[in-house]
Every structure is written in C-alpha cells, then in structure tokens.
Amino acid sequence: MEGASGSSMIGAMGSPAHSEHLEDLIEYLDSSPSPFHAVANAAERLAAAGFVDVAADERWGPATTGAMLRIGGTLVAWHTGATAGGDAGRGFRIVGAHTDSPNLRVKPRPDTAGPLTRIGVEVYGGVLRNSWLDRDLGLSGRVSVRGPAGVTTHLVHVDDPVARIPQLAIHLNREINDTGLKVDPQAHLPPIWSLGPPRPGGLARYLGDHLGVPAADVVTWELMFHDLTPARVVGADQAMFASGRIDNLVSCHAAVTALVDRTAVGVDAADPIPLVVLFDHEEVGSTSATGAAGPALTSTLERVVASLGGDRTDLHIATARSATLSADGAHATHPNHPGRHDPDHQIALDGGPVLKVNASVRYATDAPGAAAFIECCGRSGVPHQVFVSRSDLACGSTIGPISAAATGITTVDAGVAQLAMHSARETCGAVDPGRFRTVLAEWLSG
C-alpha cells in the first residue's frame, strides 16, 4: 500500500461502503474551497442522480425526478415522489447543514503598499488565526466580470501557492513560548503575494489574466484563501482523517449523498418529502439572504406544498408533520486538554455520530427530536454519542435553533466528532463520515 496517498490506505478501515464514501468525500473537500464550489459540486452529484435545476423566478411542478434550487452559496434539494401529486400536507424530512467555513476573505481594495505586495484580508467567522500561518495558500470564490452580454459571475479556483503568511522568527520574539502567540488580524494576517511593490491593477490584473479578460472588466469579487494541503487519511493506523473545512463540508457531503441514497430506493407519494438544505453564512450568524435566518428554506417549503396543489393550511399541516436534523460538527474530547470537556460526556473520534444538547437552546435538540435521532441510529446499526458543554464554558451554536425558529419544525442537532474545529486544518475519524451518511439516509426516509 502507498503511504503517500490517503485514499490508497482507506481499505484498512471500516467497511467497503465507508471506504467509498471517504474517497468521494476527499474529492469533494479538495474541490470545494469556497461555499460556491461546495454548492456546484453538490449540484453535480445530484444532477448525476437525476435532480434538475429550478429557478426562483419560475413556477415549479412536482419534483418527480428531484429538484434543486441554487442561490449563491446555498442549495436546497428535494424529491416529491416518482409520480405527480400526493398529499400536499404529508410533511418533510429535512437535513440542514452549512457550506461556509472560517477563513480569510479578500478586501475590496486588497493591494497594500510596502516593500512586499500583500493582500488585505478580513477574518471570516471564528478563525483560529495561528493555524493560517506558514501555509501555502490558494485562492477561490467568485468574480463578477463585465462583458458584451452584461455582468456575469464566474467561479475561481486557484490551487497554486499564490500567497503565504510567515510567522515572526523566534529570535525577534523570544518570549512567545511563554507569553503565547498573539495574531492581530489587521497587522499580522495579510498574506504576502509577491516581491516588490504592487503591480498596476494588482489583484484585478491577476484575476483578469486567470479568466482571460482585461483587468478593467473585473468588476468585483468574493474571494477567500484556502490551505493547499489536500485532504488525506492520517495516523499510524490510518484511522483518522485530516482536511480543511471538515466543519461543515463533511455534513454537506453526507447530506447530499444520503439524499441520493434515499431517492434511489424510491419516494412514494405518501412518504414525507426528503429535503436537504445547505446554507451559507452560518459562521457569521446566518443573517443574510442565503443564511438560515433568510427565506431560502421557508420559501421552498411553501412553494413545494403549492406545487402539489396545497394551500396555506396544507403548509401548516406539512410543517407540523415535519422534522429537521441540523447536521454540524461536534467537539471530540481533546486528549491534551481534557479539562475543557464535561467529564461525564466524553466524545471519541469514530465513536459514532454525536447528538448535541444545550439547555440554553444553542442547539435545537428537544426530547422528541433526540428520540427520533437515536431511533434512526438504532435502525441503521450505528452507535451514537451525546455531547453537552461544560457548565462553566460557553457553547457554540448551529443553524438548528435559527431554522427551528423560522419554520416551527421539531429539530435535532447532531454531527461528526472532530478536533481542532475552526482551524485551517481539522481532524475527525475516518469511519464516522460514512456512518453519518447512513443515519441521514434513514432520517430522510421518515
């Protein structure tokens, strides 16, 4: 076996199904450095399974082959059944996740003056700033370009090492190992782009060359840096998995593949409608047109019910019969920092998907939702774990409480256990992503 290739070692772990899932997950992670790429790659997998694109500005019919709606970094996909019609109030089984990850976003005027050309960046989300230092960085996102037909938007994915953020040498900061590293986002995080002062046009010229258009036609962008280290299986026993964006593209990939699995066995007109929603902007609070606090999910639910001939009352009946699983990463117990975890709720890598509970509803899990999740794990033959934060530490949150408040649908929070959440490179077990897919497919079955 080849130790240099992560995917070549996968056969040593878990079942063949889990191995195949991890191989596809590696491809998905490496090809999805931005939310826009995460949506495009998810849509490609759905299209291969027969799902078709619909537009927000057109009328929808019943999604007899599966349908998907793309809005920037957000995707909603669903299947109403192999035959048109069915009870408009039969309800939904929903899996929600998010496509964005904490990173460094390029500013509108990024070219900085000085002896070296740097790119101005803003911190996006709760970044572990130090994890971005001394890494080869690529560039990705979307760029709006002026052309004969007007302004069009193009995806950009640069996997060349175009930038780096070097640390200050220890000789110039000898106290760092005692006082700790402090990274100022304005002063210390702009990546070095090139030697010498900025070229005329700077980043716009580079993007124009990359897209084959004049720099003057580059109107604006939403760009971000990403670590170029590929996703791979790690550990002496090849039982762990390391990558950027494990939070939360592991959940996005599991949700999409689970939806494909669910629809492959057939959706009857009497079954709950399986639906997956991948939101953008969770890491910055979800309050946007494409975030969980926006209208993407509620509007889609209403329009799907209408496509089946239902009215407003049918919509309320449908939501009352529905359930949502908010799929997002969970904290594994860190072996070097055990005091940061509740001693009675130890979470293991590859110990099974994690049910997440919080008394202040930072997670949306309630008793009925928790019971439904536990039953899904039992029917799937998959172990599960239960996470709760230490009572003296603040708890993070997810799309779960936000989407639950918007829809009134019973919601449960669960995810794959991981270490180094919000680092440029995170770690989880190699088997749990495939297990989570199995549980999500069972959840979507109702």
Side-chain angles (χ1 to χ4, degrees):
M1 291 184 285
E2 300 173 6
S5 170
S7 60
S8 67
M9 301 292 289
I10 295 171
M13 316 159 313
S15 71
H18 291 148
S19 301
E20 292 172 9
H21 179 87
L22 194 55
E23 289 180 0
D24 191 59
L25 174 59
I26 286 172
E27 180 182 349
Y28 181 70
L29 284 162
D30 287 345
S31 61
S32 302
S34 79
F36 315 114
H37 291 85
V39 165
N41 290 319
E44 182 180 343
R45 285 163 168 74
L46 290 167
F51 285 70
V52 297
D53 279 292
V54 297
D57 61 351
E58 65 182 21
R59 291 185 177 274
W60 303 344
T64 57
T65 58
M68 54 184 166
L69 174 67
R70 294 189 249 181
I71 317 168
T74 290
L75 178 145
V76 192
W78 64 96
H79 200 303
T80 55
T83 57
D87 180 7
R90 67 188 196 253
F92 297 84
R93 294 292 281 194
I94 301 168
V95 173
H98 66 88
T99 59
D100 61 321
S101 300
N103 58 19
L104 305 179
R105 302 287 177 109
V106 177
K107 290 183 175 181
R109 295 181 180 176
D111 306 305
T112 64
L116 301 174
T117 299
R118 299 182 301 156
I119 297 294
V121 293
E122 284 187 278
V123 170
Y124 177 90
V127 170
L128 276 171
R129 299 174 192 170
N130 64 293
S131 69
W132 287 83
L133 306 180
D134 296 326
R135 292 182 180 272
D136 294 337
L137 301 179
L139 187 69
S140 66
R142 60 182 181 178
V143 179
S144 294
V145 175
R146 185 182 300 107
V151 176
T152 55
T153 300
H154 306 263
L155 293 186
V156 170
H157 183 176
V158 179
D159 260 347
D160 296 322
V162 294
R164 243 183 119 74
I165 310 171
Q167 288 196 72
L168 185 66
I170 194 169
H171 312 80
L172 305 176
N173 186 11
R174 293 188 181 275
E175 300 79 24
I176 187 171
N177 289 330
D178 297 318
T179 61
L181 176 64
K182 298 184 185 300
V183 181
D184 182 279
Q186 176 70 21
H188 302 154
L189 283 183
I192 294 176
W193 181 258
S194 66
L195 298 180
R199 296 173 58 200
L203 181 61
R205 182 185 292 273
Y206 177 86
L207 294 171
D209 292 345
H210 182 78
L211 293 170
V213 300
D217 287 342
V218 176
V219 180
T220 189
W221 52 71
E222 291 175 80
L223 294 171
M224 57 210 73
F225 287 102
H226 62 275
D227 173 34
L228 290 179
T229 310
R232 65 191 308 169
V233 178
V234 299
D237 56 0
Q238 299 292 289
M240 295 179 292
F241 175 64
S243 175
R245 304 173 299 281
I246 284 177
D247 175 19
N248 190 32
L249 293 191
V250 162
S251 297
C252 292
H253 180 263
V256 168
T257 51
L259 180 60
V260 171
D261 294 343
R262 169 67 188 95
T263 57
V265 300
V267 179
D268 188 79
D271 294 336
I273 297 167
L275 182 147
V276 164
V277 55
L278 311 180
F279 291 111
D280 200 355
H281 300 144
E282 188 274 345
E283 298 292 0
V284 291
S286 294
T287 304
S288 72
T290 53
L297 177 58
T298 53
S299 173
T300 299
L301 297 178
E302 183 171 2
R303 296 185 68 178
V304 170
V305 169
S307 75
L308 296 172
D311 57 17
R312 191 75 177 171
T313 298
D314 291 310
L315 173 65
H316 290 299
I317 292 171
T319 56
R321 292 173 174 173
S322 299
T324 297
L325 194 154
S326 166
D328 205 344
H331 295 294
T333 301
H334 199 299
N336 297 344
H337 304 274
R340 292 286 175 168
H341 304 272
D342 186 279
D344 297 318
H345 294 82
Q346 301 289 296
I347 302 298
L349 295 180
D350 267 352
V354 182
L355 177 67
K356 301 192 293 185
V357 179
N358 179 256
S360 298
V361 201
R362 300 289 288 168
Y363 305 131
T365 305
D366 60 10
F373 174 77
I374 291 169
E375 290 300 296
C376 278
C377 290
R379 290 194 298 270
S380 303
V382 170
H384 76 278
Q385 309 179 81
V386 181
F387 172 84
V388 65
S389 290
R390 285 182 60 97
S391 299
D392 53 359
L393 288 179
C395 177
S397 192
T398 68
I399 65 162
I402 297 168
S403 61
T407 63
I409 294 174
T410 294
T411 301
V412 59
D413 269 289
V416 171
Q418 67 176 95
L419 296 170
M421 189 180 292
H422 288 194
S423 172
R425 192 162 178 82
E426 302 162 323
T427 302
C428 69
V431 176
D432 269 351
R435 286 173 169 164
F436 198 38
R437 165 191 179 173
T438 300
V439 172
L440 295 187
E442 180 65 28
W443 178 271
L444 291 170
S445 297

